[in-house]
Amino acid sequence: MARKHVLVAGASGLVGYAAMKHFAQEGVQVTAVSRRAPFETFGARFVAADLCDADQCGALFGGMGDVTHVVYAALYERPSLISGWQDREQIDTNDRMLRNLLEPLLKAAKGLRHVALLQGTKAYGAHVRRIDTPAREDRSEARDVANFYWNQQDYLAERQRSQAWSWTIFRPQIIFGQSFGSAMNPIPALGAYAAVLKERGEPLYYPGGPSNVLQAVDADLLARAIAWGGETEAARNEAFNVTNGDVFMWSGVWPAIASALGMEPGPARPRALAETMSGETALWDEIRAKYGLRAPPLADYVGWSFQYADYLMAYGAKAGDKISIVSTVKIRQAGFGEAMDTEAMFRKWFGLFRASKLLPP
């Protein structure tokens, strides 16, 4: 069998970065592709590429004949994050990006064995309505809601038909991990918000709305699930929900988050982070200079994740609007049974960001 060579698309993003790190640290040959360079590469070969450029993709991926596994974690989001999820241009762009990568690669990589594709709970319509509790892969899909997931999934299934390689789709819940500048990573968003409060000598006020029941997934755990899927017959051409294995409410984990950031938890003070944190850029720059942080200016550090944090914490919503629970029975029965305590996950990532000088010590 040919040596394993993993192509990770979207390597500077939340999931792609975790996958690149996992495979590279396992000693696997990794080619990491994204528009901007990842924070670290862990020994992976990095290639800058724009997946919207079909000619560039044809030349690049048409020359990667030894790729055996693809982790497709690339994502195009609109600046207006939440409303963009149903935008036709956003849907068409994400559809085109996957095709631009796979069409030349499928012609070149005759030893291709697996393609992993990322979705999420928008597959169940979580961004537009209350979903089934719990949402299940085989009965809860929201095919009536416009979503680039279906374009990509149908394309992948069609191209795989009668081929030796297989695909696996992963549907994680809220992902937490190490990346910055991403559209949907709550860690830098909450970390920057906390740093501003801490610098002013204030406690960590909860800025959201109703503390609803949610699920999280650690990015490293998700990366291990992706690696499992690429080598497991039971994962062949299947879709799986992935979570840490527990549930959480912001009110329950808020003390652990505050503790991980060296702060005291404060009472609820609703605040639209996407609107108000733009006024904290100068203070963030002072914090960066004071503590010698490696973190970039606020907009580059957080990306559009303040919008995402407001959405997750139900700012301005009514109680019950953000209940989002999925079943993970299918992936456990297929053989992937890892779990992680979500409180411990928050401590892990905020601790790592502080140790990496991405947040104040």
Side-chain angles (χ1 to χ4, degrees):
M1 183 176 291
R3 181 187 178 194
K4 189 171 183 177
H5 179 183
V6 181
L7 170 63
V8 178
S12 63
L14 183 54
V15 178
Y17 187 82
M20 173 188 64
K21 178 178 69 173
H22 171 80
F23 286 112
Q25 290 182 337
E26 290 289 307
V28 174
Q29 181 183 356
V30 179
T31 297
V33 174
S34 56
R35 283 175 296 178
R36 57 186 172 90
F39 184 59
E40 296 180 43
T41 60
F42 306 97
R45 179 175 75 104
F46 170 68
V47 180
D50 180 359
L51 297 185
C52 290
D53 187 331
D55 291 338
Q56 183 187 43
C57 288
L60 176 61
F61 301 117
M64 294 188 182
D66 63 340
V67 167
T68 59
H69 293 70
V70 175
V71 177
Y72 190 85
L75 180 65
Y76 168 73
E77 295 282 3
R78 306 266 301 163
S80 181
L81 181 68
I82 311 304
S83 62
W85 288 339
Q86 297 183 73
D87 182 88
R88 175 50 57 184
E89 189 261 346
Q90 192 248 29
I91 292 170
D92 291 343
T93 299
N94 278 289
D95 181 22
R96 186 169 65 253
M97 286 165 58
L98 177 63
R99 293 168 185 261
N100 285 348
L101 183 151
L102 275 185
E103 283 302 314
L105 185 70
L106 290 174
K107 294 175 183 176
K110 300 305 181 182
L112 182 69
R113 304 205 299 264
H114 188 260
V115 177
L117 184 67
L118 270 295
Q119 295 184 355
T121 53
K122 291 193 290 294
Y124 307 121
H127 54 312
V128 297
R129 63 191 182 214
R130 291 283 297 274
I131 67 175
D132 293 346
T133 303
R136 299 178 184 272
E137 300 93 336
D138 57 349
R139 71 178 74 164
S140 304
E141 287 184 349
R143 283 271 179 169
D144 61 314
V145 178
N147 194 327
F148 72 85
Y149 292 172
W150 311 132
N151 301 60
Q152 291 184 336
Q153 182 172 337
D154 292 346
Y155 163 73
L156 195 61
E158 176 61 30
R159 292 297 277 117
Q160 186 277 333
R161 189 168 290 119
S162 302
Q163 301 299 310
W165 59 273
S166 64
W167 52 262
T168 307
I169 291 171
F170 294 91
R171 293 174 180 164
Q173 264 280 24
I174 309 164
I175 310 168
F176 297 85
Q178 186 177 12
S179 73
F180 54 80
S182 300
M184 294 182 288
N185 186 3
I187 295 293
L190 293 177
Y193 165 67
V196 165
L197 292 177
K198 187 177 183 181
E199 194 65 16
R200 292 185 173 133
E202 299 182 66
L204 186 62
Y205 303 116
Y206 175 67
S211 185
N212 294 312
V213 182
L214 302 167
Q215 291 167 300
V217 62
D218 176 87
D220 289 341
L221 185 152
L222 177 56
R224 293 191 292 273
I226 290 169
W228 163 85
E231 306 296 338
T232 304
E233 184 63 26
R236 183 179 176 87
N237 301 342
E238 296 286 350
F240 295 106
N241 297 328
V242 187
T243 75
N244 282 345
D246 59 2
V247 299
F248 78 96
M249 299 178 70
W250 289 110
S251 58
V253 299
W254 205 247
I257 292 174
S259 174
L261 291 164
M263 300 176 69
E264 293 295 324
R269 286 194 180 178
R271 172 181 179 179
L273 300 182
E275 296 175 7
T276 63
M277 283 298 293
S278 60
E280 307 287 8
T281 55
L283 180 54
W284 174 250
D285 287 339
E286 291 176 18
I287 293 170
R288 292 168 59 218
K290 179 178 178 179
Y291 296 103
L293 300 186
R294 302 167 71 190
L298 193 60
D300 295 329
Y301 182 63
V302 176
W304 296 314
S305 292
F306 283 136
Q307 295 180 54
Y308 189 52
D310 287 338
Y311 171 79
L312 295 178
M313 294 188 291
Y315 173 79
K318 299 179 292 184
D321 282 357
K322 292 292 181 290
I323 295 174
S324 184
I325 305 297
V326 301
S327 170
T328 55
V329 169
K330 182 179 177 181
I331 195 169
R332 296 176 189 283
Q333 290 180 333
F336 184 80
E338 284 200 41
M340 184 173 191
D341 180 89
T342 293
E343 230 178 67
M345 179 203 71
F346 281 115
R347 294 183 184 276
K348 165 189 169 179
W349 289 118
F350 284 120
L352 188 147
F353 266 62
R354 294 174 78 186
S356 301
K357 304 193 80 172
L358 294 172
L359 285 173

